[in-house]
Amino acid sequence: MQFNERIKNYWEGEAEGYNEGIERELKDFHRKAWRELVLEYAPTKEKLDILDIGTGPGFFPTILADEDHKVTGIDLTENMIHFAKKNLQAEGKEAELLSMDCHHLTFEDCSFDLIICRNLTWTLDDPSRAYEEWMRVLRPGGRLLVFDACWYLHLFDEEKKKAYQIREQEIKQKYGRKFHEHKDQKEGDEISKKLFMSDKLRPQWDLDKMLAMGFSKVFADSTINQRTCDEMEMELNSLTPAFLVGGEK
């Protein structure tokens, strides 16, 4: 089995649990916080053509449809697309939702004003190839916004590993849960050890990649947790703070 297929199979099995978290976000402050954050960095245009890569259960298509933008959401896993369709239908919203490998997009060159993704790039088998594809379908003046974190540096650094273990025990005592909760924790851990991004220092890696590709402008923001997380999430992510890294074509 190719590694990308293994990654796909893993997330097919995690889709239902992941959707439960997205359903909660759609009903609370996360909805407004994330919509405002994305549009703050988006190109100035009344109606944007947006591509949400790794849409999962359709969080971004749902919240950005509130602003009447045209959103296309893609995901490698059919189960994620299934839940995305359900979430959009429940709110009477519309978006094009497709099962597609983000390393090999089927869209024409220069198709989108804005490309976004959240908690996706760390899962990719070949992020360099993916970034090149994303730039290809981005229009001149368009922007790429990537939201992610350095989730697994503790697997490659003993000091970070010790700090991670101590902090996770504190989280267990306070909230009765681990940092990350997955249906197949063992498979998730095994995959994470082999992923390209797991040992990379980010967002510096992404900034270097975007500059090398020819983006006219690159930028990063390491304070987004303060705008998009509640108290418990701030504690859960204290060792792995989220970042935004972006580029303008």
Side-chain angles (χ1 to χ4, degrees), residues 28-142:
D28 62 22
F29 81 97
H30 291 88
R31 183 183 191 121
K32 183 174 184 289
W34 277 102
R35 182 173 64 245
E36 290 179 348
L37 179 60
V38 168
L39 295 179
E40 178 180 313
Y41 282 94
T44 303
K45 187 176 179 181
E46 185 175 347
K47 189 171 183 178
L48 295 163
D49 288 314
I50 303 173
L51 175 62
D52 178 25
I53 297 177
T55 191
F59 180 72
F60 280 148
T62 304
I63 67 172
L64 293 172
D66 292 345
E67 302 293 325
D68 200 32
H69 297 295
K70 181 183 178 183
V71 188
T72 300
I74 67 166
D75 204 284
L76 184 63
T77 58
E78 288 84 357
N79 286 342
M80 291 290 188
I81 293 296
H82 166 74
F83 285 111
K85 290 178 178 178
K86 285 185 63 177
N87 289 330
L88 279 162
Q89 185 177 21
E91 296 202 12
K93 303 290 175 58
E94 293 185 1
E96 185 174 16
L97 299 170
L98 304 167
S99 179
M100 189 183 301
D101 184 349
C102 72
H103 300 84
H104 306 282
L105 302 177
T106 61
F107 306 112
E108 298 290 332
D109 294 355
C110 305
S111 295
F112 299 97
D113 303 300
L114 177 65
I115 297 176
I116 53 178
C117 67
R118 181 173 69 148
N119 297 338
L120 171 79
T121 46
W122 72 272
T123 72
L124 298 180
D125 183 26
D126 188 353
S128 292
R129 165 70 180 177
Y131 269 130
E132 290 166 2
E133 270 292 88
W134 303 355
M135 186 178 186
R136 177 183 67 79
V137 302
L138 194 63
R139 290 172 180 152

Side-chain angles (χ1 to χ4, degrees), residues 53 102-105 115 117 120-122 124 126-138 144-148 196-197 202-211 213-215 219 243-247 249:
I53 297 177
C102 72
H103 300 84
H104 306 282
L105 302 177
I115 297 176
C117 67
L120 171 79
T121 46
W122 72 272
L124 298 180
D126 188 353
S128 292
R129 165 70 180 177
Y131 269 130
E132 290 166 2
E133 270 292 88
W134 303 355
M135 186 178 186
R136 177 183 67 79
V137 302
L138 194 63
L144 167 65
L145 305 180
V146 173
F147 301 95
D148 212 341
F196 177 88
M197 286 294 203
R202 307 178 66 198
Q204 190 60 52
W205 183 94
D206 307 75
L207 291 169
D208 291 343
K209 177 64 181 176
M210 290 181 187
L211 284 172
M213 291 171 58
F215 276 90
F219 48 88
F243 58 80
L244 159 66
V245 60
K249 185 173 178 179

Side-chain angles (χ1 to χ4, degrees), residues 177-205:
R177 56 160 291 168
K178 298 180 179 180
F179 280 129
H180 309 293
E181 294 189 325
H182 298 285
K183 183 177 179 180
D184 190 343
Q185 190 69 52
K186 182 179 179 180
E187 175 68 354
D189 290 345
E190 287 300 313
I191 289 175
S192 299
K193 293 174 185 177
K194 300 176 181 179
L195 289 167
F196 177 88
M197 286 294 203
S198 290
D199 65 345
K200 302 301 184 291
L201 296 177
R202 307 178 66 198
Q204 190 60 52
W205 183 94

